[in-house]
Amino acid sequence: MAPTSPPFPPHTHPRVWLITSASSPLPTRMIRQVLGHGDFVAAGVHGHVLERNDEQSRAFRLLRADMEQAGYGHRLKVVRLDVKNVGECQSAVAEAVKAFGRIDILVNCGSETVVGTVEELSTTPGTLTLVRDQFETNFYGPLNIIKAVLPGFRERRAGHILVVTGITSYMGTPSLGIYCASSWALEGFCDSLAYEVAPFNVRITIVQPNMEVVVLTNKITFAPQLPQYSGLSSPGSSVRSLLAKAVSQHHEQERDSGDGSSGGGGSSAGSRRGKLDSSPPEMVSISPSLPSSAESALLEETIHALTAIAGHENPPAHHIVSHDGVASVKEKLKTVTQEMEDFVEASSAVDIFKSEDAAAATAKRQ
């Protein structure tokens, strides 16, 4: 079934979007919708996308060709953008403004996932590097591009920043501890920034789809598994096996010896099909490539949410995508609330302000 056309907030003129990681599946599909609506897009892509012949590069080239054929080519500007590079962030913003006069909406879609327990990511120089790389991509990268657009947004007293994270920002997930940590850090930054830029009419929305949306459409790196965490009773092992099974039939795979020497750039890569070992003896990086129908079904809700919220006069600070995501977060908040109630007496025992909770807890104790 073809995806439904997403809604867009009312607006009086075409908007200008800057979308990061534009060659990955979510942005690629969203760009088609945005251009079809009549808006302008500056699509930020990593330099290698313009040079390689892997699946994502081919999909992005197909997008450009389709948009030219549809007559939208003049509203699409491709800019070189590695968000980990501060200079490229500033250049991408300048190119977008030069091409279209301004930026109205920034959508940060980039992320990568490292799979491994805390101990498994502390065994070799290579796995220690994975931790830093995870934060460089998922935390510092978004910071760089957000900081690059802020002066223009502030000067115009208008702008909307959307950051795609995931419901893992609400709850810890075994074997995804570093991924969760980088997402939580980014959300803490965005929540604080929202207060700072509100006087300039700059709005920030964190969009949180299900874990599968983000993890199964971006690069995943599996760290070597320690035998102590390989048992059936290990929650980390269960998550690792689930993710390995999900990407085993459709992926492009890179192998790294784990000593940090290749850093992913010098490893051999190519399309491989078949079962993926969930506990490889070396680091393995996977670029999932889902069938088009499955990818469309997986991403449709998130694209719908992004296009419905972007540029809204009163957007939410946080938006959870999908019924399952809402249910999971509600259950987490219910647990947190229950734990606070269970230990409210301990929390209020030395409350010098003698709050109502403290009085209630004292009355219960007496």
Side-chain angles (χ1 to χ4, degrees), residues 87-283:
E88 285 196 11
C89 289
Q90 294 170 341
S91 296
V93 170
E95 285 187 57
V97 172
K98 182 178 180 180
F100 301 132
R102 67 184 188 280
I103 299 171
D104 298 306
I105 300 165
L106 168 67
V107 183
N108 184 84
C109 298
S111 71
E112 294 180 0
T113 304
V114 171
V115 181
T117 63
V118 172
E119 281 194 280
E120 288 164 352
L121 294 172
S122 308
T123 55
T124 68
T127 55
L128 288 170
T129 298
L130 285 178
V131 176
R132 181 175 295 275
D133 288 346
Q134 182 86 121
F135 273 83
E136 289 288 347
T137 300
N138 295 359
F139 178 66
Y140 289 109
L143 261 64
N144 292 336
I145 191 62
I146 289 172
K147 289 190 291 185
V149 301
L150 277 180
F153 282 3
R154 180 167 38 77
E155 183 178 351
R156 292 180 53 241
R157 301 188 73 84
H160 192 183
I161 298 169
L162 294 99
V163 179
V164 179
T165 58
I167 62 169
T168 47
S169 301
Y170 275 104
M171 55 198 74
T173 305
S175 281
L176 293 179
I178 301 302
Y179 172 77
C180 292
S182 64
S183 296
W184 291 9
L186 179 58
E187 293 205 5
F189 165 82
C190 289
D191 283 344
S192 301
L193 178 64
Y195 289 107
E196 298 170 2
V197 298
F200 305 107
N201 196 34
V202 177
R203 295 146 297 173
I204 300 176
T205 298
I206 298 168
V207 178
Q208 300 158 308
N210 282 335
M211 178 179 71
E212 296 89 340
V213 171
V214 181
V215 173
L216 297 184
T217 58
N218 292 287
K219 181 180 176 181
I220 310 175
T221 299
F222 290 82
Q225 188 173 32
L226 292 174
Q228 293 87 344
Y229 290 95
S230 62
L232 294 177
S233 61
S234 168
S237 181
S238 299
V239 172
R240 176 190 284 265
S241 298
L242 181 66
L243 291 174
K245 182 179 179 180
V247 302
S248 63
Q249 296 303 318
H250 306 279
H251 61 271
E252 292 189 346
Q253 182 170 318
E254 299 176 0
R255 289 190 178 274
D256 189 336
S257 63
D259 60 4
S261 58
S262 69
S267 57
S268 60
S271 296
R272 306 184 184 186
R273 298 291 183 260
K275 184 178 180 181
L276 171 69
D277 184 0
S278 63
S279 53
E282 56 190 14
M283 288 193 294

